[in-house]
Amino acid sequence: MAHKSLFKFAGKAPAADARNEAGGLAYALSPEHALAQYAVTGTLHGTFYASAGDQLASVLALADLVPAEFVGKTAIYCRERGFMKDVPALLVAYLAKRDVALMKRVFPRVIDSAKMLRNFVQIVRSGQVGRKSLGTAPKRAAQAWFRARTPEALFRSSLGSAPSMADVIKLVRPAPRGVDGAPDRVREALYGYLLGREVDLESLPPAVRAFEAWKKAPGATPLPDVPFEMLTGLELTQDHWKAIARTLTWTQTRMNLNTLLRKGVFEDDRLTRLVADRLRDEAAVRKARAFPYQLLAAFKAAGAAMPQAVTSALQDALEIATENVPAIAGTLYVCPDVSGSMQSPATGQRGSATSAVRCVDVAGLVAASLMRRNASAHVLPFSDDVVAMPRALNPRDSVMTNAQYLASLPSGGTACAAPLRHLNARGAKADLVLYVSDNQSWADFRLPAGSSTRGTRMAEEWERFRARNPAAKLVLLDIQPYAHTQVAERPDVLNVGGFSDAVFEVISLFARGESAHFVDAISRVTLAG
């Protein structure tokens, strides 16, 4: 009799039950899983296969299919762990219609900044969630948001438009009272000031008074301690910009490097070193909760004129931002998708604000980061087949160097089965296979003559791989907001979305055999109240 352990029967993949956006065979995610996927990857801007309107309609339809409590937990998870903005605000606005009591419990944890408050108000007023007025409960939640912040903090966060902070104040009508409920003359004066009314300047917070004094005599007084965005519409000299550069936060610095370059700040060697040291400061990078892709975006946006000290500092900061990438025991294969659809912007089409970072850049970044912590990891880039690399990856190269190299490989169609087919043909052994893709496989669903399949080609190849590696696990890291997968969820398969540090934590737990499925992680979120 043949050796049983060598010739173990390979099970059949379950029948595919859907077609993905590219037209290929796929498995539909459960409504809970699909909502979570949209929440941690969706920005409500157009992707390669879906418009912004498609995404909005999908999120709202999925929210209707799941318990309200799961909607609330998803909003919290994707805000606190995924650091997303648009979809969590949308989910809170949705709850304002479906479950007001739950909305009140979720609101403080999701609407945690002025930007999030403005997003929430904009979404409600749009009428897309079924109402155009805030209503009593959402208005009270927003009023509590105002009470919980000092007048100084409110002034500093009063940037932005459509809606502006003045628009929000008109809609919410926060009472000029402090946290203790007592009348607050400073707060009353600030609300009037933000609304453009005549107020007693002496009643305003010190930062506002300093700002107004500087506007009247910009050459006579030092720059006021206010967010620099409040100053950029005014006449500023090179010395003013140098003074601004000294006071920027880490995030402001990362986002405005090209502005500082244009304004002549980097003509000063000491300021160049100061900016570089700030960017590579470990504590500052961690405090800013920097996404690796944000640093990659800054690096890609920096032109040839940017000082090398600054671009080198961005690479150092990227190494820090990827420090939470796990070391995984056993043999690891990482499969970044370099196909044509992965050339689209990672955060969707945003007109002139579209990110320079593409999905393929994120895939290369994840692969390079895992390779840094797992020196023996194997990387198999793919499109319609495994893509040959002109040179081997060097795990000692910087994460930035390897990420850019992987993203530069030739693209083609999408055949998610290709890496597993490649491994099966070689009888490869592995403990974990990790895909980084949009899962929009289509180039591998046409079968050779005489063959047949019920499931996706990738699912069939995974069954063959598991027959040879019975303890192996598969992770499909999806970085786009779609509701289908190539291998259905089960104990040895994890479908997970997003590209924050939370993703690496979930993958690490799953690799160690701990319960870490995506929906489970969201279900464990606790709701206050």
Side-chain angles (χ1 to χ4, degrees):
M1 180 178 289
H3 197 299
K4 290 183 179 180
S5 64
L6 291 178
F7 300 102
K8 184 178 179 181
F9 176 74
K12 288 188 176 181
D17 58 7
R19 293 274 182 176
N20 60 29
E21 283 78 359
L25 294 175
Y27 300 99
L29 297 172
S30 70
E32 287 83 359
H33 198 132
L35 179 63
Q37 178 67 31
Y38 274 91
V40 297
T41 59
T43 59
L44 301 183
H45 292 81
T47 64
F48 190 86
Y49 289 109
S51 69
D54 293 336
Q55 288 189 54
L56 175 62
S58 295
V59 171
L60 295 177
L62 289 165
D64 283 339
L65 296 175
V66 305
E69 186 172 284
F70 187 81
V71 176
K73 290 184 175 184
T74 301
I76 291 171
Y77 182 91
C78 70
R79 178 60 185 153
E80 294 185 346
R81 307 300 304 280
F83 312 128
M84 302 299 282
K85 298 182 180 70
D86 294 347
V87 178
L90 172 64
L91 294 179
V92 176
Y94 168 86
L95 287 174
K97 179 191 71 170
R98 178 173 174 182
D99 189 327
V100 171
L102 182 59
M103 182 278 299
K104 291 191 288 187
R105 296 164 65 191
V106 171
F107 191 100
R109 291 176 64 179
V110 178
I111 310 303
D112 57 358
S113 69
K115 169 64 175 173
M116 292 299 293
L117 180 63
R118 290 173 45 240
N119 281 357
F120 173 78
V121 170
Q122 179 185 1
I123 289 168
V124 172
R125 294 284 291 170
S126 74
Q128 294 287 352
V129 294
R131 59 186 305 166
K132 289 189 176 181
S133 63
L134 286 182
T136 302
K139 187 176 292 186
R140 287 177 177 171
Q143 290 169 346
W145 185 95
F146 277 94
R147 286 197 304 273
R149 285 154 179 83
T150 66
E152 182 99 3
L154 290 172
F155 169 67
R156 292 181 178 279
S157 64
S158 61
L159 298 162
S161 59
S164 66
M165 185 61 80
D167 295 329
V168 175
I169 291 172
K170 290 175 185 176
L171 288 169
V172 172
R173 302 175 66 85
R177 297 179 180 274
V179 177
D180 59 359
D184 187 334
R185 290 184 60 236
V186 175
R187 194 177 296 263
E188 181 178 13
L190 176 66
Y191 292 161
Y193 170 83
L194 293 176
L195 292 171
R197 298 171 182 165
E198 291 291 332
V199 298
D200 177 12
L201 290 179
E202 293 305 311
S203 297
L204 291 168
V208 185
R209 297 201 303 270
F211 178 52
E212 289 300 317
W214 186 85
K215 286 197 297 183
K216 292 177 181 177
T221 59
L223 280 173
D225 180 19
V226 299
F228 88 98
E229 295 90 345
M230 293 180 173
L231 304 172
T232 54
L234 307 173
E235 292 294 330
L236 298 177
T237 66
Q238 186 181 47
D239 286 340
H240 286 145
W241 277 103
K242 289 181 178 181
I244 287 172
R246 295 186 182 94
T247 62
L248 293 179
T249 66
W250 186 92
T251 298
Q252 289 171 334
T253 302
R254 171 185 62 78
M255 295 178 66
N256 292 279
L257 292 173
N258 285 325
T259 300
L260 298 180
L261 178 67
R262 289 195 305 271
K263 301 301 182 180
V265 170
F266 295 137
E267 295 173 13
D268 186 318
D269 290 340
R270 290 202 303 175
L271 273 176
T272 301
R273 289 194 298 272
L274 181 148
V275 167
D277 289 343
R278 179 185 297 151
L279 287 171
R280 63 166 57 94
D281 182 83
E282 292 187 20
V285 173
R286 295 192 187 99
K287 182 179 179 181
R289 301 191 299 186
F291 275 16
Y293 88 83
Q294 293 171 325
L295 288 153
L296 179 62
F299 185 85
K300 287 170 67 69
M306 188 67 66
Q308 184 176 351
V310 174
T311 55
S312 295
L314 287 170
Q315 295 192 65
D316 293 340
L318 179 59
E319 298 288 337
I320 298 166
T322 57
E323 66 181 8
N324 289 333
V325 174
I328 296 173
T331 302
L332 167 66
Y333 281 92
V334 186
C335 309
D337 181 352
V338 298
S339 66
S341 62
M342 295 287 284
Q343 307 299 316
S344 61
T347 54
Q349 297 287 349
R350 295 169 173 258
S352 61
T354 297
S355 170
V357 178
R358 303 160 298 167
C359 294
V360 70
D361 296 313
V362 175
L365 185 60
V366 172
S369 301
L370 283 161
M371 192 173 168
R372 168 52 52 86
R373 290 297 309 277
N374 301 272
S376 61
H378 308 277
V379 178
L380 290 178
F382 73 96
S383 56
D384 18 35
D385 204 344
V386 170
V387 177
M389 291 185 283
R391 64 170 177 80
L393 289 170
N394 181 356
R396 291 185 177 273
D397 283 344
S398 72
V399 171
M400 191 81 77
T401 297
N402 282 334
Q404 290 193 302
Y405 174 62
L406 288 168
S408 71
L409 294 173
S411 64
T414 308
C416 289
L420 286 172
R421 184 172 62 241
H422 175 91
L423 294 174
N424 284 333
R426 287 155 180 76
K429 299 283 188 178
D431 298 282
L432 181 68
V433 180
L434 169 65
Y435 276 65
V436 191
S437 173
D438 61 6
N439 271 318
Q440 293 300 302
S441 195
W442 60 269
D444 54 0
F445 78 94
R446 297 183 182 89
L447 302 175
S451 62
S452 63
T453 182
R454 300 187 314 152
T456 66
R457 292 298 298 276
M458 183 179 178
E460 296 283 3
E461 293 292 349
W462 178 244
E463 291 295 347
R464 296 186 183 97
F465 190 87
R466 278 273 294 180
R468 192 175 60 256
N469 299 273
K473 295 181 178 179
L474 174 67
V475 174
L476 291 90
L477 172 53
D478 198 336
I479 55 178
Q480 287 285 269
Y482 302 121
H484 305 96
T485 182
Q486 286 298 292
V487 185
E489 190 94 349
R490 62 190 205 185
D492 59 304
V493 178
L494 171 67
N495 285 280
V496 62
F499 33 87
S500 70
D501 287 348
V503 169
F504 291 122
E505 178 186 353
V506 171
I507 293 172
S508 180
L509 290 171
F510 180 72
R512 296 201 304 266
E514 301 181 29
S515 176
H517 282 269
F518 195 23
V519 173
D520 293 341
I522 293 173
S523 296
R524 285 195 291 269
V525 170
T526 57
L527 296 170

